[in-house]
Amino acid sequence: MNKFATKLALSASTVFAFSMMSSLPATAQDYSAWDNANQNASFKRCGTRDLSEREIGMIEAAVQKRINNAKKPDHAGGGGGGNGGGGDGGGGDDTTRPAGTVVFDTYFHVMCDDNGNNCRNTQAEVDAQMAVLNNAFAGGTGGTATPFAFNLVQTNFVKKTDWLTISSGSSQETAMKSTLRQGDAATLNIYSTNLDGGLLGWATFPTDYASNPLRDGVVILAESVPGGTAAPYNEGDTGTHEVGHWLGLYHTFQSGCQGGDLVADTAAERSPAYGCPVGRDTCKKGGEPDPIYNFMDYTDDSCMFEFTNGQAFRADTLSLQYRK
C-alpha cells in the first residue's frame, strides 16, 4: 500500500500526543526542551536550528524577487497562479524548473568503528534511503514533482569509533563534517550515525553555506532509513524532511497561524502534528486543515507523502540563489 492509500485508511479517532515546541534548546546539547514525538515513540523529530530574522529576511527577499520577475509582462505565462512560494501566492509550475532537471551529486557517509565493523548502515540500506528520497522529490508518493533528483556518487564507510554517536553542535559533529565533506554548495552530504538526545536528524539551510561550508549537509539517525528500528520513523522520511531544510524549506508550523511556512498553498498550523491526526485544524479560520501529510511537518513516516507546488517553487528559487 502506498502512502496516499495508507493515509486514507487511518482513523481520525487515534490518540495522539502534541507538542508546542518550535525552537531549538538554548544550548547545542540541551535536549530537555524537546518533547517526545508521540506517546509510542522515544524520538524527537528534528534538530534543525531556527533561522534568525536576518536569515529569514534574506530567504524571503530571494523568493519575492523571483515572484516579481515571474509577474513581469515579458515572462511567458509567469506568476500569479496561486501555486507559488511567498506570502502572495506568486510563482508556480510555469516558473519552477522542470521535474528532475536539477540533480545534486550526493555523498553518503556511514559511521563504523575503528576497525570498519559495526557500521550504522549497509549499502542496501543506503540505496533504499536514496530511492525514498528520489521518489519523494519526484512526486512518486502523491505530491508535487519537484525539480530535484539526487545522484549517489559514493557511499563512504567511515572508520571512526568516536563518531558512532554524535550530538548536534558538538565538536564531534564539527570534526566529522570537516574531515568528510565533499564537493561544493551544490553537493549533498548525508551523515548517518546514532544521534544523542533522541533526535532523528538535522540539516543546514542554503543560507548557511557561505559562512561555514564545511558544516553544510544533512545528519540522520541511521535507524530512520527504510527498514530501520526507529518506528514509526523508519521509512526514510527523516532524510526527506532534512533534505527539504537543506533546500530551504521551513517547517509547516514555522510561523504558526500567522503564515505557517510562508508558502501560499501550504495551510498554516499552530504547532507540529504527530502521529497522523486526520482532520486536525489548529488555525480555525475557515481555511484548510493542517498540512499533516506534508514532508515538512512532524507526523509519522507513514502519514507523510507530499511537497506542494509552492514548496517546489521556493526550494527551486533558493537553490538557484545559494546552491549552484
Side-chain angles (χ1 to χ4, degrees):
M1 180 181 293
N2 63 31
K3 289 188 179 180
F4 184 73
T6 299
K7 67 101 175 176
L8 291 175
L10 291 167
S11 169
S13 63
T14 306
V15 178
F16 303 101
F18 300 104
S19 165
M20 294 300 290
M21 64 94 174
S22 62
S23 61
L24 282 172
T27 60
Q29 290 146 36
D30 174 15
Y31 299 105
S32 60
W34 291 84
D35 290 332
N36 288 343
N38 62 49
Q39 62 188 9
N40 298 316
S42 60
F43 303 106
K44 297 153 183 146
R45 199 56 165 115
C46 175
T48 298
R49 70 179 182 87
D50 281 349
L51 297 178
S52 68
E53 291 184 9
R54 176 179 176 275
E55 290 170 314
I56 291 174
M58 290 170 58
I59 289 175
E60 296 314 306
V63 173
Q64 191 61 50
K65 180 179 179 181
R66 192 174 184 200
I67 290 171
N68 292 340
N69 287 340
K71 290 179 177 178
K72 291 179 179 178
D74 61 350
H75 186 283
N83 292 327
D88 70 352
D93 286 345
D94 51 357
T95 54
T96 305
R97 287 176 288 182
T101 60
V102 182
V103 181
F104 291 109
D105 282 346
T106 302
Y107 290 82
F108 206 113
H109 309 282
V110 177
M111 302 307 127
C112 309
D113 66 23
D114 289 342
N115 297 315
N117 300 318
N118 301 315
C119 295
R120 292 306 192 193
N121 293 122
T122 65
Q123 184 63 57
E125 290 172 333
V126 170
D127 293 342
Q129 176 63 71
M130 292 301 300
V132 166
L133 190 63
N134 275 301
N135 196 35
F137 279 92
T141 53
T144 292
T146 77
F148 309 111
F150 305 89
N151 171 47
L152 181 62
V153 175
Q154 180 181 352
T155 303
N156 182 19
F157 293 97
V158 182
K159 299 179 182 180
K160 188 69 173 179
T161 300
D162 191 44
W163 299 339
L164 283 175
T165 299
I166 66 168
S167 56
S168 177
S170 65
S171 59
Q172 290 169 303
E173 181 190 8
T174 299
M176 177 184 72
K177 289 182 172 180
S178 298
T179 302
L180 300 176
R181 195 184 187 286
Q182 300 290 317
D184 55 18
T187 308
L188 174 61
N189 283 255
I190 300 176
Y191 305 87
S192 180
T193 189
N194 187 48
L195 306 183
D196 245 348
L199 293 174
L200 289 169
W202 59 84
T204 56
F205 278 87
T207 46
D208 294 333
Y209 184 83
S211 62
N212 197 345
L214 289 179
R215 191 171 180 80
D216 185 68
V218 165
V219 179
I220 62 169
L221 177 69
E223 292 297 342
S224 71
V225 303
T229 61
Y233 310 111
N234 60 344
E235 296 182 16
D237 286 331
T238 291
T240 304
H241 178 103
E242 300 304 342
V243 171
H245 285 315
W246 186 80
L247 291 169
L249 298 180
Y250 303 142
H251 289 129
T252 51
F253 49 86
Q254 169 86 17
S255 301
C257 293
Q258 303 307 309
D261 63 355
L262 307 183
V263 175
D265 63 357
T266 304
E269 65 180 336
R270 186 178 302 278
S271 61
Y274 298 112
C276 196
V278 177
R280 181 180 190 251
D281 186 0
T282 55
C283 297
K284 301 180 185 297
K285 295 182 179 178
E288 298 178 72
D290 293 352
I292 65 168
Y293 307 122
N294 197 284
F295 287 118
M296 301 312 294
D297 207 338
Y298 275 9
T299 47
D300 293 352
D301 280 12
S302 61
C303 189
M304 295 178 165
F305 72 86
E306 68 175 355
F307 292 112
T308 67
N309 289 339
Q311 285 175 315
F313 172 84
R314 170 174 290 257
D316 190 42
T317 300
L318 296 176
S319 295
L320 282 167
Q321 180 85 5
Y322 297 105
R323 295 209 177 279
K324 57 183 180 179

